[in-house]
Amino acid sequence: MPPSTTAEPGVRPAIFRFRCIACGDLSDIASQNFRCSRCGDLLEITYPFSSKRSASPVAIEPANLKSSWKQRRLSTLPVDLSGVWRFRDLLPTLENEHHAITLREGNTPLYEMPQCARITGVPNLFAKHQGMNPTGSFKDTGMTVAASFARQAGFRWVACASTGNTSASMSAYAARGGMRSLVLVPDGKISWSKLSQALDYGAVTCQLRTDFDGCLRLLQELVLRAPIYQLNSINPFRLEGQKTLAFELLEQLDWEPPDHIIVPGGNLGNSSAIGKALLEMQDLGLISRLPKLSVIQAEGANALVRTLREASGKRLVSVQAETRATAIRIGNPASWKKAAHVLEATGGACEQVSEVEIAQAKAEIGAEGIGCEPASAVTLAGLKKLVKQGFVKAEENVVLILTGNLLKDPDFTMEFHSGDLFPGPSRDREHATLKALRHPPIVLDATLDAVIRTLEQAEKSGDSKT
Ligand code: F0G
């Protein structure tokens, strides 16, 4: 018996086209490098319903969509159990929706953050934890869509350049979908836990003697020479899947938009995807007002910050990236135009934070019992700045997007707690702030006395903290 469809009446499957973000050229097929055949800029996916000015708008009733999405939560079909494909009415349609490659991605928790709320002075502070996805990062939500389209198109090989998380995710979805995967990562600049995921999922893993930007450049040339499907966020199917973060978030908030959504910025695909989702939701009447979407970068990888400040968003100011938040160690972000557009459309801000601020914020998120990887912690560090600047007001609702799991970068966490993250005497005052957050492991003789003494000391220092 074929699986039953769970679509509600009035909810139509999404038909789509590719549109160039620069010249607006529309096409039904995309080239191997997902660039416009006329002007070479990036493509995005567009639907008849995604613009009020469209000549043949597909009528979508917001109430039907919302109830259909809720209804699917009761289903046991894999596509309905996926927190991405559950929203398939606003995604590109597969020839057979039940052929989606899914690891039950999405469905990530929205946490209250009481301690961070106290620290920032913003009581209504939440974190949506995309690190709770199957491979531990937000990449899975985009990968389920893009990998499914790769398989549908008959590709045997998929490939990506990565700072670690994309490669972990891609190789998992390729393995599930019966495809081979090629990973290009900068040698020595990604965390071992991400690298180990790609190895276990069977990827051909190349550590190139260059940075992320060099890996991506090479991949763009490679896909024009070999029948390999590229799964970086230049691939617009990735961004369609990553959009669902925003649908799910709004559903979790009962469709009451927060005032601010704060997201880390690396290659700038994720911020572009979330912004696209917000604009589509507003266009369709799913939400009545837009949250401000703000992007935070590491000071050492601040291409978008500089692009907006020094070139008014008109041309990319690329940088030689350096940060311990290796996931966002990117100097030449591919999706900068898309991100600049959604920042402007939603009225969001773009800020940068220092290495010490990232480390502090990461420890503070950890102390909530939540935890995240360093790149995700830029959101909290950035929020502190935006509050100081008066851009975020104390009474506003704020959602931080935590993009990766704490376990993604154990070296960073261990060095932080051991006091080895920032060696050298130059930053004494900052080190004092960090010291209170450190919980180094304690090596003891295996005696009851030693453990009890340690417990008593911890109790005393805990008292002095509260
Ligand atoms: N946070 C984490 C944990 C990431 O892995 C990335 C990007 C970002 C934030 C930034 O997102 O690139 O969409 O702006 N990681 C990519 C990778 C580049 O290869 O895993 P972005």
Side-chain angles (χ1 to χ4, degrees):
M1 199 176 81
S4 63
T5 173
T6 46
E8 292 278 294
V11 179
R12 311 259 189 89
I15 35 181
F16 67 94
R17 303 190 78 189
F18 299 99
R19 178 170 60 199
C20 170
I21 60 163
C23 73
D25 188 46
L26 283 166
S27 59
D28 291 322
I29 47 166
S31 61
Q32 291 267 97
N33 64 351
F34 291 105
R35 291 198 173 264
C36 173
S37 53
R38 280 199 184 167
C39 74
D41 218 316
L42 295 187
L43 304 178
E44 64 178 358
I45 285 177
T46 173
Y47 307 93
F49 55 70
S50 57
S51 164
K52 281 178 184 157
R53 292 180 295 281
S54 167
S56 55
V58 173
I60 279 193
E61 181 52 53
N64 282 356
L65 270 187
K66 288 177 187 174
S67 73
S68 174
W69 292 343
K70 212 172 195 174
Q71 193 64 29
R72 286 176 189 155
R73 284 168 165 261
L74 305 173
S75 157
T76 53
L77 290 173
V79 279
D80 290 337
L81 290 170
S82 162
V84 170
W85 293 104
R86 194 159 67 79
F87 301 100
R88 58 191 172 273
D89 315 85
L90 302 185
L91 297 179
T93 314
L94 285 165
E95 281 160 16
N96 181 339
E97 67 185 25
H98 301 289
H99 287 177
I101 306 168
T102 172
L103 287 163
R104 318 295 184 262
E105 53 289 318
N107 300 312
T108 58
L110 180 67
Y111 294 123
E112 286 164 352
M113 301 289 281
Q115 293 184 38
C116 293
R118 266 196 302 279
I119 292 166
T120 54
V122 177
N124 296 317
L125 180 60
F126 301 87
K128 179 141 178 79
H129 207 326
Q130 295 299 95
M132 300 300 180
N133 268 292
T135 76
S137 86
F138 72 98
K139 306 287 181 180
D140 295 341
T141 56
M143 212 50 82
T144 180
V145 175
S148 298
F149 274 90
R151 186 168 69 172
Q152 178 175 288
F155 281 89
R156 283 188 54 238
W157 280 91
V158 294
C160 71
S162 182
T163 56
N165 280 325
T166 301
S167 50
S169 180
M170 178 192 74
S171 33
Y173 282 84
R176 296 294 295 175
M179 294 178 287
R180 307 231 25 217
S181 59
L182 172 72
V183 161
L184 306 181
V185 291
D187 185 29
K189 296 294 179 189
I190 79 167
S191 92
W192 286 106
S193 47
K194 296 174 190 180
L195 190 63
S196 66
Q197 287 182 285
L199 304 184
D200 232 28
Y201 299 138
V204 174
T205 304
C206 304
Q207 304 190 74
L208 304 185
R209 290 186 203 92
T210 178
D211 54 11
F212 168 83
D213 303 289
C215 292
L216 187 56
R217 254 193 317 276
L218 202 143
L219 179 71
Q220 288 269 289
E221 286 171 30
L222 178 68
V223 295
L224 294 175
R225 297 265 290 275
I228 296 179
Y229 191 83
Q230 83 104 336
L231 282 176
N232 275 94
S233 56
I234 289 173
N235 180 327
F237 290 108
R238 281 267 317 274
L239 300 200
E240 291 308 295
Q242 286 172 213
K243 273 186 346 192
T244 57
L245 176 163
F247 303 151
E248 189 176 271
L249 169 65
L250 265 294
E251 191 182 55
Q252 286 166 320
L253 293 172
D254 227 355
W255 299 101
E256 187 52 49
D259 298 295
H260 296 273
I261 298 176
I262 302 182
V263 65
N267 213 20
L268 299 172
N270 204 30
S271 39
S272 304
I274 297 168
K276 186 172 191 278
L278 296 175
L279 295 170
E280 285 178 1
M281 281 192 281
Q282 190 190 39
D283 228 19
L284 291 170
L286 286 163
I287 53 173
S288 54
R289 65 186 172 85
L290 280 176
K292 291 188 173 78
L293 179 67
S294 293
V295 173
I296 313 296
Q297 297 194 297
E299 270 176 11
N302 60 353
L304 185 65
V305 175
R306 294 189 56 183
T307 294
L308 297 176
R309 290 184 190 168
E310 295 167 27
S312 307
K314 298 283 185 285
R315 66 177 167 84
L316 176 65
V317 179
S318 44
V319 299
Q320 192 64 44
E322 196 47 82
T323 170
R324 284 298 305 265
T326 51
I328 51 174
R329 191 175 177 275
I330 295 172
N332 199 18
S335 294
W336 69 273
K337 272 191 201 167
K338 291 184 181 180
H341 167 67
V342 297
L343 281 189
E344 195 184 347
T346 67
C350 186
E351 255 308 334
Q352 58 187 349
V353 290
S354 71
E355 297 294 296
V356 170
E357 287 167 334
I358 294 171
Q360 181 174 347
K362 178 174 146 15
E364 288 163 348
I365 293 167
E368 288 266 20
I370 303 285
C372 64
E373 69 167 283
S376 310
V378 301
T379 53
L380 178 63
L383 172 62
K384 292 177 194 171
K385 286 203 158 167
L386 297 179
V387 170
K388 254 194 205 130
Q389 293 163 5
F391 183 77
V392 174
K393 315 250 175 337
E395 66 279 9
E396 291 184 316
N397 296 311
V398 178
V399 177
L400 309 178
I401 307 298
L402 303 182
T403 44
N405 196 285
L406 170 67
L407 297 174
K408 283 285 195 174
D409 197 344
D411 282 353
F412 185 103
T413 309
M414 288 304 294
E415 283 178 41
F416 174 82
H417 288 287
S418 312
D420 297 333
L421 195 61
F422 303 110
S426 57
R427 290 159 144 172
D428 284 354
R429 201 182 57 79
E430 288 153 342
H431 282 209
T433 332
L434 300 184
K435 205 169 170 200
L437 290 160
R438 281 191 201 126
H439 305 287
I442 304 158
V443 181
L444 295 176
D445 286 333
T447 67
L448 195 56
D449 268 2
V451 174
I452 287 177
R453 253 197 322 277
T454 306
L455 202 58
E456 285 166 357
Q457 272 162 14
E459 178 73 14
K460 259 192 234 145
S461 63
D463 282 350
S464 67
K465 274 185 198 171
T466 48

